[in-house]
Amino acid sequence: MTSPQQLEQPAEAGRTRAIGAPIISAQDVQKHFGSFHALRGVNLTVRQGEVVVIIGPSGSGKSTFIRTINALDPHDGGSITVDNIPLDGQGNLDAIRREVGMVFQSFNLFPHLTVLENITLAPTRVRKTSKADAEKRGLELLRRVGIEEQAHKYPAQLSGGQQQRVAIARALAMDPKIMLFDEPTSALDPEMIKEVLDVMKELARSGMTMLVVTHEMGFAREVADRILFFDQGNIVEDTTPDEFYHHPKHDRAKQFLSKIL
Ligand code: ADP
Ligand code: MG
Protein backbone atom coordinates (compact mmCIF):
# COMPACT_ATOMS: atom_id res chain seq x y z
CA MET A 1 0.00 0.00 0.00
CA THR A 2 1.17 3.48 -0.75
CA SER A 3 2.14 5.30 2.42
CA PRO A 4 -0.25 7.95 3.71
CA GLN A 5 2.47 10.51 3.08
CA GLN A 6 2.53 9.65 -0.63
CA LEU A 7 -1.24 9.80 -0.77
CA GLU A 8 -1.35 13.29 0.69
CA GLN A 9 0.72 14.96 -2.00
CA PRO A 10 -0.35 18.46 -2.91
CA ALA A 11 -3.08 18.96 -5.46
CA GLU A 12 -0.67 19.77 -8.26
CA ALA A 13 1.05 16.39 -7.98
CA GLY A 14 -1.68 14.71 -9.98
CA ARG A 15 -1.28 17.11 -12.86
CA THR A 16 2.44 16.73 -13.46
CA ARG A 17 2.10 13.29 -15.05
CA ALA A 18 3.27 12.96 -18.62
CA ILE A 19 0.39 13.28 -21.04
CA GLY A 20 0.91 11.30 -24.24
CA ALA A 21 -0.74 10.67 -27.58
CA PRO A 22 -4.52 10.39 -28.03
CA ILE A 23 -5.78 7.01 -26.82
CA ILE A 24 -9.57 7.53 -26.98
CA SER A 25 -11.20 9.37 -29.81
CA ALA A 26 -14.96 9.80 -29.98
CA GLN A 27 -16.53 11.61 -32.89
CA ASP A 28 -20.17 12.58 -33.15
CA VAL A 29 -21.19 9.60 -30.99
CA GLN A 30 -24.92 8.89 -30.99
CA LYS A 31 -26.96 6.50 -28.92
CA HIS A 32 -30.69 5.86 -28.90
CA PHE A 33 -32.78 3.78 -26.54
CA GLY A 34 -35.88 3.29 -28.67
CA SER A 35 -37.08 6.79 -29.46
CA PHE A 36 -34.98 8.33 -26.65
CA HIS A 37 -31.86 10.09 -27.90
CA ALA A 38 -29.38 9.45 -25.06
CA LEU A 39 -26.10 10.60 -26.68
CA ARG A 40 -26.35 13.48 -29.10
CA GLY A 41 -23.12 13.84 -31.01
CA VAL A 42 -20.44 13.49 -28.32
CA ASN A 43 -16.93 14.52 -29.37
CA LEU A 44 -13.96 13.78 -27.14
CA THR A 45 -10.25 13.09 -27.34
CA VAL A 46 -8.47 11.66 -24.31
CA ARG A 47 -4.69 11.42 -24.24
CA GLN A 48 -2.62 8.73 -22.62
CA GLY A 49 -2.14 9.47 -18.92
CA GLU A 50 -4.99 11.94 -18.68
CA VAL A 51 -7.46 11.80 -15.81
CA VAL A 52 -10.85 13.03 -16.98
CA VAL A 53 -13.70 13.50 -14.52
CA ILE A 54 -17.25 13.44 -15.88
CA ILE A 55 -20.01 15.16 -13.97
CA GLY A 56 -23.52 16.24 -14.76
CA PRO A 57 -27.15 15.78 -13.77
CA SER A 58 -28.72 12.36 -13.40
CA GLY A 59 -29.88 11.06 -16.78
CA SER A 60 -27.52 13.27 -18.80
CA GLY A 61 -25.80 10.29 -20.46
CA LYS A 62 -22.61 9.91 -18.37
CA SER A 63 -22.97 6.16 -17.81
CA THR A 64 -24.17 5.55 -21.33
CA PHE A 65 -21.15 7.36 -22.73
CA ILE A 66 -18.53 5.50 -20.73
CA ARG A 67 -20.30 2.23 -21.45
CA THR A 68 -19.98 2.90 -25.18
CA ILE A 69 -16.20 3.20 -24.74
CA ASN A 70 -15.82 -0.47 -23.92
CA ALA A 71 -18.86 -1.45 -25.97
CA LEU A 72 -21.01 -2.54 -23.04
CA ASP A 73 -23.59 -0.41 -24.83
CA PRO A 74 -22.99 -0.22 -28.57
CA HIS A 75 -23.23 3.28 -30.01
CA ASP A 76 -25.44 3.72 -33.05
CA GLY A 77 -23.84 6.68 -34.79
CA GLY A 78 -20.46 8.37 -35.11
CA SER A 79 -17.18 6.64 -34.35
CA ILE A 80 -15.08 5.60 -31.37
CA THR A 81 -11.43 4.55 -31.55
CA VAL A 82 -9.60 3.15 -28.53
CA ASP A 83 -5.83 2.75 -28.81
CA ASN A 84 -6.13 2.77 -32.60
CA ILE A 85 -8.78 0.02 -32.55
CA PRO A 86 -12.02 1.17 -34.19
CA LEU A 87 -14.96 0.15 -32.04
CA ASP A 88 -17.27 -0.71 -34.88
CA GLY A 89 -16.96 -4.28 -36.06
CA GLN A 90 -18.01 -6.92 -33.56
CA GLY A 91 -14.63 -8.57 -34.07
CA ASN A 92 -12.88 -5.85 -32.11
CA LEU A 93 -14.86 -6.21 -28.91
CA ASP A 94 -12.50 -8.61 -27.18
CA ALA A 95 -9.48 -6.52 -28.12
CA ILE A 96 -11.11 -3.37 -26.74
CA ARG A 97 -12.25 -4.98 -23.53
CA ARG A 98 -8.74 -6.21 -22.87
CA GLU A 99 -7.50 -2.63 -23.05
CA VAL A 100 -10.22 -1.08 -20.95
CA GLY A 101 -10.94 -1.94 -17.32
CA MET A 102 -14.21 -0.90 -15.74
CA VAL A 103 -15.32 -0.36 -12.16
CA PHE A 104 -19.01 0.04 -11.34
CA GLN A 105 -20.93 1.60 -8.50
CA SER A 106 -22.14 -1.84 -7.38
CA PHE A 107 -18.73 -3.65 -7.36
CA ASN A 108 -20.10 -6.60 -9.41
CA LEU A 109 -17.79 -9.18 -7.80
CA PHE A 110 -18.58 -12.88 -8.23
CA PRO A 111 -20.07 -13.83 -4.85
CA HIS A 112 -19.17 -17.53 -5.05
CA LEU A 113 -15.47 -16.86 -5.70
CA THR A 114 -12.87 -15.73 -3.18
CA VAL A 115 -11.23 -12.35 -3.55
CA LEU A 116 -8.17 -13.89 -5.16
CA GLU A 117 -10.28 -16.09 -7.45
CA ASN A 118 -12.22 -13.01 -8.57
CA ILE A 119 -8.93 -11.43 -9.56
CA THR A 120 -7.33 -14.44 -11.27
CA LEU A 121 -10.41 -15.51 -13.25
CA ALA A 122 -10.00 -13.27 -16.30
CA PRO A 123 -6.19 -13.50 -16.56
CA THR A 124 -6.30 -17.32 -16.49
CA ARG A 125 -9.34 -17.67 -18.78
CA VAL A 126 -8.82 -14.81 -21.23
CA ARG A 127 -5.09 -14.18 -21.17
CA LYS A 128 -4.17 -17.83 -20.51
CA THR A 129 -1.83 -16.79 -17.70
CA SER A 130 -0.80 -19.75 -15.51
CA LYS A 131 -2.64 -20.06 -12.19
CA ALA A 132 0.59 -19.56 -10.24
CA ASP A 133 1.52 -16.39 -12.14
CA ALA A 134 -2.02 -15.01 -11.91
CA GLU A 135 -2.08 -15.60 -8.14
CA LYS A 136 1.30 -13.99 -7.64
CA ARG A 137 0.19 -10.93 -9.58
CA GLY A 138 -3.20 -10.98 -7.85
CA LEU A 139 -1.54 -10.82 -4.44
CA GLU A 140 0.68 -7.96 -5.62
CA LEU A 141 -2.42 -6.06 -6.75
CA LEU A 142 -4.18 -6.74 -3.46
CA ARG A 143 -1.14 -5.35 -1.67
CA ARG A 144 -1.31 -2.30 -3.94
CA VAL A 145 -4.92 -1.64 -2.94
CA GLY A 146 -4.12 -2.39 0.71
CA ILE A 147 -6.07 -5.62 1.37
CA GLU A 148 -3.68 -8.49 0.76
CA GLU A 149 -4.88 -10.14 3.98
CA GLN A 150 -8.40 -10.52 2.54
CA ALA A 151 -7.28 -12.70 -0.39
CA HIS A 152 -9.03 -15.88 0.71
CA LYS A 153 -12.28 -14.36 1.93
CA TYR A 154 -15.53 -14.13 -0.03
CA PRO A 155 -16.92 -10.74 -1.14
CA ALA A 156 -19.78 -10.86 1.38
CA GLN A 157 -17.23 -11.01 4.21
CA LEU A 158 -15.73 -7.67 3.16
CA SER A 159 -16.85 -4.09 3.71
CA GLY A 160 -18.09 -2.11 0.71
CA GLY A 161 -14.84 -0.16 0.54
CA GLN A 162 -12.83 -3.37 0.54
CA GLN A 163 -15.07 -4.89 -2.14
CA GLN A 164 -14.60 -1.88 -4.35
CA ARG A 165 -10.81 -2.11 -3.90
CA VAL A 166 -11.03 -5.77 -4.98
CA ALA A 167 -13.00 -4.66 -8.05
CA ILE A 168 -10.23 -2.19 -8.90
CA ALA A 169 -7.55 -4.87 -8.42
CA ARG A 170 -9.58 -7.26 -10.58
CA ALA A 171 -9.74 -4.73 -13.40
CA LEU A 172 -6.00 -4.00 -13.11
CA ALA A 173 -5.19 -7.72 -13.34
CA MET A 174 -5.86 -7.55 -17.08
CA ASP A 175 -3.24 -4.80 -17.46
CA PRO A 176 -5.65 -2.34 -19.04
CA LYS A 177 -4.40 0.82 -20.70
CA ILE A 178 -7.52 2.71 -19.69
CA MET A 179 -9.67 2.51 -16.56
CA LEU A 180 -13.31 3.61 -16.54
CA PHE A 181 -15.06 4.29 -13.25
CA ASP A 182 -18.81 4.83 -13.00
CA GLU A 183 -19.63 6.47 -9.65
CA PRO A 184 -17.29 4.10 -7.81
CA THR A 185 -17.99 5.56 -4.37
CA SER A 186 -21.71 6.32 -4.66
CA ALA A 187 -22.80 3.07 -2.97
CA LEU A 188 -20.31 3.39 -0.10
CA ASP A 189 -20.78 4.54 3.45
CA PRO A 190 -19.02 7.87 3.96
CA GLU A 191 -16.18 6.44 6.04
CA MET A 192 -15.22 4.10 3.18
CA ILE A 193 -15.13 6.64 0.40
CA LYS A 194 -11.63 7.88 1.19
CA GLU A 195 -9.98 4.45 1.07
CA VAL A 196 -11.31 3.94 -2.47
CA LEU A 197 -10.46 7.46 -3.62
CA ASP A 198 -6.92 7.03 -2.24
CA VAL A 199 -6.44 3.94 -4.40
CA MET A 200 -7.75 5.86 -7.42
CA LYS A 201 -5.41 8.77 -6.69
CA GLU A 202 -2.44 6.42 -6.53
CA LEU A 203 -3.54 4.91 -9.84
CA ALA A 204 -3.78 8.36 -11.38
CA ARG A 205 -0.29 9.24 -10.19
CA SER A 206 1.05 6.01 -11.66
CA GLY A 207 0.09 7.37 -15.10
CA MET A 208 -3.08 5.38 -15.79
CA THR A 209 -5.49 6.94 -18.29
CA MET A 210 -8.76 7.30 -16.38
CA LEU A 211 -12.32 8.39 -17.10
CA VAL A 212 -14.19 8.81 -13.86
CA VAL A 213 -17.86 9.61 -13.42
CA THR A 214 -18.02 11.01 -9.91
CA HIS A 215 -19.46 13.81 -7.89
CA GLU A 216 -16.54 13.71 -5.45
CA MET A 217 -15.41 17.26 -5.98
CA GLY A 218 -12.30 17.00 -3.80
CA PHE A 219 -11.06 14.12 -5.92
CA ALA A 220 -11.84 16.00 -9.12
CA ARG A 221 -9.99 19.12 -8.01
CA GLU A 222 -7.00 17.21 -6.78
CA VAL A 223 -6.54 14.67 -9.55
CA ALA A 224 -8.42 15.61 -12.71
CA ASP A 225 -6.67 17.12 -15.68
CA ARG A 226 -10.03 17.92 -17.19
CA ILE A 227 -13.65 18.08 -16.18
CA LEU A 228 -16.40 17.24 -18.64
CA PHE A 229 -19.87 18.47 -17.80
CA PHE A 230 -22.63 16.44 -19.44
CA ASP A 231 -26.10 17.77 -20.03
CA GLN A 232 -28.87 16.19 -22.11
CA GLY A 233 -26.66 13.73 -23.92
CA ASN A 234 -23.72 15.94 -24.71
CA ILE A 235 -20.57 17.52 -23.29
CA VAL A 236 -21.39 21.16 -22.66
CA GLU A 237 -18.15 22.07 -20.86
CA ASP A 238 -14.68 20.55 -21.28
CA THR A 239 -12.25 22.46 -19.15
CA THR A 240 -9.79 22.38 -16.25
CA PRO A 241 -11.08 21.84 -12.70
CA ASP A 242 -10.09 25.37 -11.64
CA GLU A 243 -11.80 26.96 -14.60
CA PHE A 244 -14.89 24.82 -14.08
CA TYR A 245 -15.28 25.63 -10.39
CA HIS A 246 -14.46 29.30 -10.61
CA HIS A 247 -15.89 30.23 -14.00
CA PRO A 248 -18.48 27.71 -15.18
CA LYS A 249 -19.81 28.98 -18.49
CA HIS A 250 -22.94 26.97 -19.05
CA ASP A 251 -26.05 27.82 -17.03
CA ARG A 252 -26.71 24.18 -16.25
CA ALA A 253 -23.17 23.82 -14.91
CA LYS A 254 -23.66 26.89 -12.69
CA GLN A 255 -26.93 25.50 -11.33
CA PHE A 256 -25.36 22.10 -10.79
CA LEU A 257 -22.41 23.51 -8.90
CA SER A 258 -24.60 25.64 -6.71
CA LYS A 259 -26.44 22.48 -5.63
CA ILE A 260 -23.46 20.28 -4.89
CA LEU A 261 -20.90 22.69 -3.44
P1 ADP B 1 -26.42 9.26 -16.15
O1 ADP B 1 -25.38 8.20 -15.98
O2 ADP B 1 -25.87 10.58 -16.60
O3 ADP B 1 -27.29 9.42 -14.94
P2 ADP B 1 -27.47 7.44 -18.14
O4 ADP B 1 -26.39 7.41 -19.14
O5 ADP B 1 -27.59 6.28 -17.23
O6 ADP B 1 -27.41 8.81 -17.31
O7 ADP B 1 -28.86 7.58 -18.86
C1 ADP B 1 -29.11 8.59 -19.82
C2 ADP B 1 -30.54 8.46 -20.27
O8 ADP B 1 -30.71 7.27 -21.01
C3 ADP B 1 -31.54 8.40 -19.12
O9 ADP B 1 -32.67 9.17 -19.47
C4 ADP B 1 -31.90 6.95 -19.02
O10 ADP B 1 -33.21 6.77 -18.54
C5 ADP B 1 -31.72 6.47 -20.44
N1 ADP B 1 -31.29 5.07 -20.48
C6 ADP B 1 -30.10 4.60 -20.02
N2 ADP B 1 -30.01 3.27 -20.21
C7 ADP B 1 -31.18 2.88 -20.78
C8 ADP B 1 -31.70 1.63 -21.25
N3 ADP B 1 -30.98 0.52 -21.15
N4 ADP B 1 -32.93 1.64 -21.79
C9 ADP B 1 -33.64 2.77 -21.90
N5 ADP B 1 -33.21 3.98 -21.51
C10 ADP B 1 -32.00 4.05 -20.96
MG1 MG C 1 -24.96 6.97 -14.34
Side-chain angles (χ1 to χ4, degrees), residues 33 36 38 57-64:
F33 293 108
F36 182 73
S58 179
S60 57
K62 306 179 297 294
S63 295
T64 304

Side-chain angles (χ1 to χ4, degrees), residues 4-18:
Q5 207 175 358
Q6 281 171 294
L7 293 172
E8 298 302 337
Q9 285 177 10
E12 297 71 32
R15 295 184 206 152
T16 56
R17 288 165 288 103

Side-chain angles (χ1 to χ4, degrees), residues 6 11 43 54 116 118 122 131 137 142 154 237 244 249:
Q6 281 171 294
N43 290 297
I54 300 176
L116 190 58
N118 263 278
K131 187 163 178 259
R137 171 103 168 102
L142 284 173
Y154 287 87
E237 293 212 26
F244 182 75
K249 291 183 186 60

Side-chain angles (χ1 to χ4, degrees), residues 18-35:
I19 303 297
I23 189 164
I24 299 171
S25 168
Q27 279 171 343
D28 193 28
V29 172
Q30 310 277 342
K31 173 73 183 174
H32 296 77
F33 293 108
S35 62

